[in-house]
Amino acid sequence: MSAFLSIRGLGKRFLSRGTVVRAIENFSLDIEEGEFVTIVGPSGCGKSTLLNILAGLYPPSAGEILFEGRHVRGLNPEIGYVTQQDNLLPWRTLRKNVLLPIEFRGGSASGGAEERVGALIRKVGLSGFDNHYPHELSGGMRQRANIIRTLVYNPRVILMDEPFGPLDAQTRLTLQNQLLDLWNDERKTIIFITHDLTEAISLADRVVLMTGRPGTIKSVTPIRIPRPRDVYHIHRSEAYREVYDKLWEELRVEVARVM
Amino acid sequence: MTQEVQSRPPEEVLIPAGLQGLRLLIWRIRRTEELRWARVALLRVLFGIVMVALWEGVSGRLIDQRIISSPGALLEAFLDLAGPDNPDGTLWTHFAYTMENTFWGYLAGALLGILFGFMLAEAEVIAQVIEPFIMAFNGVPRIAYAPLFIAWFGIERQPKIILVLTIVFFLCFVSTFSGIRSVPQELVNVARVLGGRKADILRKVVLPAASPWIFSGLKISIPFGMVGAIVGEYIIADRGLGYLLQRYNNEYFTTGIILVIFILMFFVVAVNQLLNWAEGRMLRWRPTGQTGQETAIPN
Ligand SMILES: Nc1ncnc2c1ncn2[C@@H]1O[C@H](COP(=O)(O)OP(=O)(O)OP(=O)(O)O)[C@@H](O)[C@H]1O
Ligand SMILES: [Mg+2]
């Protein structure tokens, strides 16, 4: 009996300018359905590479991925990917951008699509901006659009690569809060990369800490802070501080090793 | 349009009621962008008039009229050429001939260029193989091919159309090709993850992303294409603006040459204006400042 999503012995090497870069090595993790896993690690340790492989954009050099016990090769339609850059299509309005996956998946005929898009836009506070082009939106708004574009077609797993990275602290907290609400409603399986330890702890069921390159798992830490969590005040809780100190100590060693 | 708009004009009302309305109107206009634009337009017209007046004044007094002609002589030549009794057709005949050749060459060249641009952008290896050949062919000034085309296709329309076609083809080909090559891979990847198949991605991601490049290719092709038609006629023809140029040149008829140049100018400016407008509409999604840039008119 295997887990919902099982990553086994994953490795990735790149050949770059005649030298082999070992980005990831022997990365194994079992993830349950509906789980919220965050991944932290030093810059360049292969986090984005891991998500690209999970999304099926390129194949691993070693190891395998099992989804509900089945091998996955190439793109998996059950997996959504919120990339670090918003990658909205600049010639489409917000609404049309969010509709894109539905058009691709041949669901535009079903009347429910428009309503679902409208509901999501409202939910993340973008009402009134439906017909704006991406360049007319702020960074935070674009990132929200990017996220609901993935939510709209209901993939069972969502990969997120530092989705709130470039945002200011307040916007970040607001979006974290919204994301937790959304996750609470829909209970997707989420794999979320961040370089912000607080963010990793606030959101996660488990925090995965990666070593410096070649990236592999250094520790997996369950977060037992009860839900629903208050992202604005989580730093006051004792449980939070304990975990934070432990993780920071581990991460510090890895960062020092790389830099 | 970020202008503070006062709700009423300043209250120094010692003006008769009739003038009051006019004053209000002027006050309104002054607060809008239109006035700025109108002023530029007005100054442009003034500039044009001053230049023409200078030209008329200088011509025949400071500089020989046979060298620089004059606006009056130009108008006379225009009316004469536009009139009915001309041995080899009126101005309209010549204009239409050139434009028809340009049009057909442009149409075929643009379609083929865009099509090939798409196909080669997708076919990495073939593109690499034939690239130097294409560059070599394109690198030679097109006029060098003209005699060859005449030998192959005769002295009627065909060689002129072909000349236009080859010029437009390359411009559109290169711009389409590089447009597609410059489509960010991340956008394509995201579209794949979102469930797009190849044809969907081509239509909904690649084509729109490349459209600014394709558009600029289409735009610069117009004047260059016309050059092809005119060069073709200049070499051998019994009609067309290029033929007129060549005949006037033999007759040392400066006024006629300048007249043809002016006709070409008006045409190119008008078409460019039209394309800018169309581009602005089609690429409305681009941040302002990027739409409808003027394309330099090559000489
Ligand atoms: N396409 C590629 N070709 C060659 N090397 C690559 C490629 N993609 C990634 N790498 C290398 O793999 C390593 C991991 O890159 P990756 O982008 O996964 O890091 P990351 O953990 O996401 O870093 P960051 O936190 O800075 O985003 C880096 O050393 C990078 O140079
Ligand atoms: Mg990264």
Side-chain angles (χ1 to χ4, degrees), chain B residues 47-60:
Chain B
F47 180 75
I49 291 173
V50 168
M51 294 302 286
V52 170
L54 259 175
W55 187 5
E56 186 68 60
V58 164
S59 173

Side-chain angles (χ1 to χ4, degrees), chain A residues 176-187:
Chain A
Q176 285 171 9
N177 203 33
Q178 282 178 1
L179 179 62
L180 280 183
D181 277 351
L182 287 167
W183 178 74
N184 222 16
D185 294 349
E186 316 218 345
R187 287 289 159 164

Side-chain angles (χ1 to χ4, degrees), chain B residues 24-43:
Chain B
L24 194 75
L25 188 72
I26 291 172
W27 175 85
R28 267 238 212 81
I29 291 175
R30 191 186 306 147
R31 318 237 130 227
T32 61
E33 272 293 300
E34 277 108 75
L35 185 76
R36 222 182 65 78
W37 171 226
R39 206 166 57 198
V40 170
L42 192 71
L43 286 173

Side-chain angles (χ1 to χ4, degrees), chain A residues 55-57 75 79-81 83 87-92 100-101 103-105 133 135 149-150 153, chain B residues 186-187 189-197 200-201 204-206 208-210 284-288:
Chain A
L57 288 174
L75 296 167
I79 292 184
Y81 188 4
T83 47
N87 286 323
L88 297 172
L89 302 184
W91 53 89
R92 283 183 165 237
L100 186 68
E103 288 174 23
F104 281 159
R105 284 155 193 263
Y133 288 101
H135 77 267
R149 178 176 63 174
T150 291
Y153 66 91
Chain B
E186 295 84 60
L187 282 192
N189 278 345
V190 161
R192 286 172 59 207
V193 172
L194 293 177
R197 307 228 196 87
D200 293 329
I201 293 175
K204 295 190 168 169
V205 179
V206 175
R284 199 179 279 163
W285 51 271
R286 305 185 88 190
T288 40

